[in-house]
Amino acid sequence: MDIIALLSDPAAWLALLTLIALEVVLGVDNLIFIAILSNKLPEHQQSKARRIGLSLALIMRIGLLMLIGWIVTLQEPLFDLGITGPPVEGTNKASFETAFSGRDLILLAGGLFLLWKATKEIHHSMEPEDNSGDIMDKTPSMADAAKASFGAVIAQIIAIDLVFSVDSILTAVGMTDEIPIMVTAVVITVGVMMVAADPLARFIEKNPTLVMLALAFLVMIGLVLIADGLGFHVPKGYIYAAMGFSVGVELLNMVQRNRRAKERAVAAGE
């Protein structure tokens, strides 16, 4: 009867649609990270890694919803260093504080991990490839190397899935009190991400400049997570507006490069 009541309640449908839209936007960060990591694998393993990563994200989020009471307690302070920043202008709220909750510690750990991983990938992409030596001398076998790489990628995806899942579920808790609405929104959101994962990864792989842009996004997201964990609450709208603007500029650059390439091809043909 409760489900029937929810289905007949316009407010429940509005909450569901709003939550789906919000979760999809929040899921972009997770999707970019999975796309960059999976593209490091051999081609035949990339799609499998993305499916496994997103399936684990779904399981993790539904599992956290089943522990909703415990999730809410993650916002309770565990310890306080007693340091607070100056009050925000026009309010009595401190600009930052050092009363750390379980959520804050998870965000700090996730932010540091993203910062480390994105910086490492940027450094790797800037270094010239070393083709000296035989890879067979460094590893027992190509199969073992591929297996180790796949396992490492999945482990990193699980780690960051946990961070984004906690943030996602706490966002859902703030939007509605109905567990069925939250579960439905999470399932639909992860379904959308699964559909978008492969095209996004292929698009990033075919456009190398977008890889650097995506890594820069991950650095920014890592810093935002760290700031949030320390009590500096940066409005997410500013972050996604900056990301959208950067992507728009890069798309214009891609159109311009393609047009110049076509013009050079025509000129060469003549």
Side-chain angles (χ1 to χ4, degrees):
M1 294 301 294
D2 290 338
I3 297 296
I4 294 175
L6 281 175
L7 291 174
S8 60
D9 185 2
W13 284 99
L14 180 60
L16 176 62
L17 294 175
T18 304
L19 189 54
I20 290 172
L22 188 59
E23 293 286 337
V24 167
V25 172
L26 292 175
V28 170
D29 309 341
N30 202 353
L31 207 53
I32 290 174
F33 185 80
I34 291 175
I36 290 177
L37 277 183
S38 61
N39 282 348
K40 307 287 287 182
L41 292 170
E43 188 174 351
H44 68 280
Q45 291 184 330
Q46 292 176 6
S47 182
K48 180 181 178 182
R50 288 190 282 269
R51 288 196 301 271
I52 291 176
L54 289 171
S55 297
L56 290 171
L58 176 61
I59 294 170
M60 213 173 286
R61 293 179 190 194
I62 292 179
L64 290 174
L65 281 173
M66 298 302 104
L67 300 171
I68 198 70
W70 174 74
I71 288 295
V72 172
T73 63
L74 287 178
Q75 300 183 81
E76 298 295 327
L78 297 176
F79 59 91
D80 190 350
L81 299 180
I83 304 173
T84 57
V88 179
E89 185 178 355
T91 68
N92 294 323
K93 187 176 181 180
S95 55
F96 74 93
E97 56 189 10
T98 55
F100 292 99
S101 64
R103 172 184 177 272
D104 294 333
L105 296 178
I106 291 173
L107 291 181
L108 281 171
L112 289 170
F113 174 73
L114 269 184
L115 204 56
W116 167 77
K117 184 62 183 176
T119 303
K120 181 180 177 183
E121 291 298 327
I122 290 174
H123 181 267
H124 177 73
S125 66
M126 297 295 289
E127 288 290 323
E129 292 185 7
D130 184 11
N131 294 322
S132 61
D134 187 357
I135 191 172
M136 296 301 289
D137 295 335
K138 301 177 183 179
T139 54
S141 68
M142 293 298 292
D144 290 342
K147 188 182 299 182
S149 176
F150 186 83
V153 166
I154 294 300
Q156 292 177 67
I157 288 175
I158 291 173
I160 208 61
D161 273 349
L162 177 61
V163 177
F164 286 125
S165 293
V166 169
D167 204 26
S168 170
I169 297 307
L170 288 175
T171 300
V173 171
M175 293 288 297
T176 180
D177 295 327
E178 300 293 342
I179 297 294
I181 291 178
M182 296 182 201
V183 173
T184 303
V186 165
V187 171
I188 293 175
T189 300
V190 175
V192 171
M193 291 169 66
M194 282 188 171
V195 171
D198 286 346
L200 176 65
R202 286 195 295 269
F203 187 65
I204 289 177
E205 190 174 18
K206 289 179 181 177
N207 299 276
T209 55
L210 282 179
V211 175
M212 188 61 70
L213 186 62
L215 289 171
F217 287 161
L218 291 180
V219 170
M220 180 174 64
I221 293 163
L223 290 173
V224 169
L225 289 177
I226 292 171
D228 201 357
L230 292 173
F232 294 94
H233 300 295
V234 182
K236 293 290 180 66
Y238 294 156
I239 305 302
Y240 292 115
M243 290 172 65
F245 179 78
S246 301
V247 170
V249 171
E250 182 57 31
L251 289 176
L252 289 175
N253 285 332
M254 289 168 58
V255 171
Q256 186 182 47
R257 285 196 297 268
N258 289 336
R259 184 176 297 172
R260 286 179 178 175
K262 289 180 181 178
E263 290 174 355
R264 285 195 295 268
V266 171
E270 293 176 353

